[in-house]
Amino acid sequence: MTRRILIALLMALLLPLSAMAQTSRFDDLKKKNDRKFEDHKARVENTFRARREAMNKEFEQALRLPWEKKSAKKAVPTPKKKDKDLPPVVIKEEQKQIPPKDKPIVIEEIPVAPVPEPTPEPTYPIEEIPGPSQETASFTVYGTEFKVRYPGVPRLQGVEESQVADFWTTICGQDYDNMLVDLLDQKTKLSLCDWAYLKVVDKFTENLYGNVNDPAAVVMQAYILTQSGFRLYLARDSKKVLHKLVPTDLDVYKYPYVVVGGRKCYMFDGAEDKSYYVMGQALEGTVPMSVMLVKENAFATAAGDPRTLKSRDYPAATVTVNSNKNLIEFYNGYPESFANNDGTTRWRFYANTPLSGIAKESLYPKLKEVISGMNDFNAASVLLNFVQTAFVYEYDNKVWGRDRAFFADETLFYPYSDCEDRSILFSRLVRDLVGRPAVLIYYPGHLATAVNFESEVSGDYLIIDGKKYVICDPTYIGAPVGLTMPGMDNSAAKVIKL
């Protein structure tokens, strides 16, 4: 056997051994790194748990301190219209033939739109706790089924400071973490806004205690919400009833409140006592509840009756729209809000709420098809005429007995709408389908829109942040882009930025 063949044989024998040795070293290194990672993860989790336990302990101590007596403030009613609703106007045919000319609208002061505050999130991660099986509560909110584990139904011995603090200590244990995991997991999966999550927590505790206002239920709600990142306080009224006080990022109509820490804290249970004993400290790291809606809540679908809508002047823009009745129910009870003590700002949060998926799926493809290939002016003209002519106008007071603004989905669902509903819907359509910025324009007794076009468009306009916005009035029936409805007082107009 030659030397070369011997060397080849030897290498063939040694290579597998070398590979095995390398694999063994790799496996040993991987196991070592895995152990290091698990050790590090355990240390981090223990640190988070220790910090969370420390915060909850501090909150418990605040509960034990004497609660301070504070005066309650009456609910701020939704503004009554000082000005008479202006009826829709149908443009005369001869006026439609005259191209709009540039005419500036001078508005001295344009309020800055409020910047959204951080939305509540758990201050520290809440992890699944392995252990014995727990009972499960099953309940429905807005037609959507929820399932939440819980270890038991503890009872509150009384509503004095020490008794509330003792109850808090009981539910702060790890046994209740899986309850939080289930609630937070469903909040994330369904993209629940803060108000929807508040309603889910209320319904869950009602399921446990039989009464959402049971003192133990209220403290349990406070525990769940604070661990979920919501800032809130507990209060006791003259009848020894407990209430949760919830601060919000915007002011809210129709709910009484108590000022704590310089911020309005609302009693969403509608309590109306003259004064309350209020604990004086919030859980560290928590933030006020947001009333702004930035994405759709993914409630289960309960299909409403399809509704066909047709543009008068652009017959191709004929669509059959579908709605989710569960979402409509949710919107019907949503709190109305305002900012900077300015009642006109309440329309902003309606206009900035996205249209639901079910409405988009039935409405947008057809409208996109109709405006495909058009410039922004022509596309906006089609959408403007669609909103002007596809809906039946009626006064809120006649239909609802009060002023009531609609979310865009509601305008598509209900048989009647008015100027504010149409302006809100049109602003949504032009931003989504044409991709152009829009604002709302408030006149005494009337609401319209203005759009910033990429192309040069003539008509009544105003300058906002150095950009030209041209009037588009969804209630001036048949009017083209650029015309203000007759009788509007531009000197009293206000801009609502979106």
Side-chain angles (χ1 to χ4, degrees):
M1 188 177 291
T2 65
R3 178 184 177 87
R4 182 175 296 178
I5 293 173
L6 286 171
I7 292 173
L9 288 171
L10 186 60
M11 289 182 65
L13 291 170
L14 291 176
L15 278 173
L17 294 174
S18 174
M20 290 175 63
Q22 289 179 8
T23 301
S24 178
R25 285 197 299 272
F26 176 78
D27 289 343
D28 290 344
L29 181 61
K30 184 176 183 301
K31 288 177 182 178
K32 185 177 180 180
N33 287 335
D34 286 346
R35 283 195 300 270
K36 284 184 177 179
F37 175 77
E38 291 300 326
D39 290 344
H40 174 71
K41 180 182 176 183
R43 287 195 298 272
V44 170
E45 287 177 353
N46 288 337
T47 299
F48 283 157
R49 174 154 290 283
R51 290 177 180 172
R52 183 172 157 227
E53 288 175 351
M55 290 194 317
N56 282 326
K57 182 65 177 177
E58 185 178 346
F59 192 78
E60 175 220 318
Q61 292 169 347
L63 286 170
R64 293 190 186 280
L65 296 175
W67 295 4
E68 181 183 355
K69 188 174 184 180
K70 289 182 175 289
S71 298
K73 307 294 182 182
K74 290 184 178 180
V76 178
T78 49
K80 290 184 178 180
K81 286 187 177 179
K82 297 178 182 178
D83 307 290
K84 186 179 179 181
D85 282 325
L86 299 175
V89 176
V90 179
I91 191 169
K92 296 178 180 178
E93 284 301 318
E94 58 268 24
Q95 289 178 299
K96 290 174 63 175
Q97 309 308 317
I98 304 173
K101 295 181 179 180
D102 266 357
K103 179 181 177 183
I105 299 171
V106 179
I107 296 179
E108 298 295 336
E109 184 178 355
I110 299 176
V112 176
V115 178
E117 296 188 28
T119 56
E121 295 288 345
T123 305
Y124 294 110
I126 300 171
E127 302 291 342
E128 178 86 14
I129 302 297
S133 60
Q134 296 179 328
E135 293 188 64
T136 300
S138 298
F139 55 96
T140 301
V141 182
Y142 302 116
T144 307
E145 187 178 359
F146 293 84
K147 293 181 181 296
V148 180
R149 290 169 292 172
Y150 64 98
V153 185
R155 296 293 170 178
L156 187 60
Q157 300 304 312
V159 296
E160 299 303 319
E161 287 86 340
S162 61
Q163 293 166 320
V164 174
D166 288 344
F167 183 88
W168 180 269
T169 302
T170 299
I171 60 179
C172 275
Q174 286 190 353
D175 288 348
Y176 287 85
D177 278 4
N178 290 344
M179 172 186 74
L180 298 172
V181 167
D182 288 349
L183 285 163
L184 289 166
D185 182 57
Q186 290 171 97
K187 179 179 186 289
T188 300
K189 286 181 179 178
L190 297 174
S191 297
L192 297 182
C193 70
D194 292 349
W195 179 256
Y197 187 61
L198 191 78
K199 291 299 181 183
V200 169
V201 171
D202 283 354
K203 190 66 177 180
F204 168 61
T205 57
E206 181 182 18
N207 186 283
L208 294 188
Y209 291 97
N211 182 352
V212 70
N213 296 318
D214 182 286
V218 173
V219 183
M220 183 68 82
Q221 294 157 22
Y223 174 70
I224 294 169
L225 292 170
T226 55
Q227 305 309 294
S228 302
F230 288 67
R231 180 176 300 167
L232 58 76
Y233 305 87
L234 285 170
R236 184 178 61 244
D237 66 20
S238 59
K239 296 180 180 179
K240 303 290 185 178
V241 175
L242 290 182
H243 307 272
K244 59 182 184 291
L245 302 178
V246 184
T248 55
D249 56 353
L250 299 176
D251 292 331
V252 176
Y253 291 114
K254 297 195 293 187
Y255 290 99
Y257 63 92
V258 175
V259 176
V260 185
R263 189 184 283 264
K264 295 175 182 176
C265 300
Y266 293 91
M267 287 172 284
F268 290 121
D269 60 5
E272 294 184 342
D273 212 347
K274 293 181 179 179
S275 62
Y276 297 85
Y277 288 93
V278 181
M279 64 172 299
Q281 181 176 321
L283 188 73
E284 181 185 339
T286 53
V287 299
M289 184 185 98
S290 175
V291 294
M292 297 186 186
L293 287 169
V294 296
K295 54 186 177 181
E296 180 186 357
N297 295 274
F299 300 127
T301 299
D305 294 333
R307 183 182 183 195
T308 299
L309 301 167
K310 181 179 180 179
S311 168
R312 186 190 66 189
D313 298 338
Y314 299 91
T318 301
V319 294
T320 299
V321 181
N322 298 316
S323 300
N324 182 359
K325 290 192 290 186
N326 291 330
L327 182 64
I328 299 300
E329 178 195 352
F330 167 73
Y331 283 151
N332 191 44
Y334 201 85
E336 297 181 69
S337 62
F338 62 101
N340 306 320
N341 292 317
D342 181 357
T344 64
T345 61
R346 72 187 188 276
W347 291 306
R348 178 185 293 112
F349 90 93
Y350 288 99
N352 283 342
T353 299
L355 198 63
S356 69
I358 190 173
K360 285 182 179 179
E361 288 168 8
S362 55
L363 179 67
Y364 281 10
K366 184 62 177 180
L367 292 180
K368 283 181 179 179
E369 178 187 322
V370 174
I371 65 175
S372 176
M374 295 182 178
N375 63 22
D376 57 356
F377 166 74
N378 288 330
S381 297
V382 171
L383 297 178
L384 181 61
N385 188 267
F386 173 77
V387 179
Q388 287 173 342
T389 60
F391 299 88
V392 179
Y393 187 95
E394 190 53 272
Y395 298 108
D396 278 346
N397 283 337
K398 184 175 179 179
V399 178
W400 300 98
R402 60 183 177 86
D403 182 37
R404 189 192 192 285
F406 282 165
F407 293 97
D409 273 271
E410 293 181 295
T411 300
L412 297 173
F413 176 79
Y414 290 115
Y416 304 108
S417 58
D418 65 5
C419 63
E420 59 191 9
D421 309 323
R422 296 176 181 211
S423 294
I424 288 165
L425 175 61
F426 175 72
S427 75
R428 186 75 271 159
L429 296 181
V430 80
R431 284 177 290 168
D432 288 354
L433 299 177
V434 187
R436 300 308 304 165
V439 297
L440 300 177
I441 309 294
Y442 171 71
Y443 299 96
H446 186 60
L447 195 70
T449 56
V451 176
N452 168 245
F453 292 96
E454 186 175 21
S455 53
E456 179 55 38
V457 175
S458 297
D460 299 336
Y461 73 92
L462 57 158
I463 301 297
I464 303 173
D465 298 331
K467 296 181 179 180
K468 181 180 180 181
Y469 283 74
V470 181
I471 294 294
C472 301
D473 196 327
T475 316
Y476 191 8
I477 311 302
V481 169
L483 288 187
T484 303
M485 196 165 81
M488 297 298 100
D489 182 3
N490 286 329
S491 67
K494 290 184 178 181
V495 171
I496 303 164
K497 281 184 166 184
L498 304 179

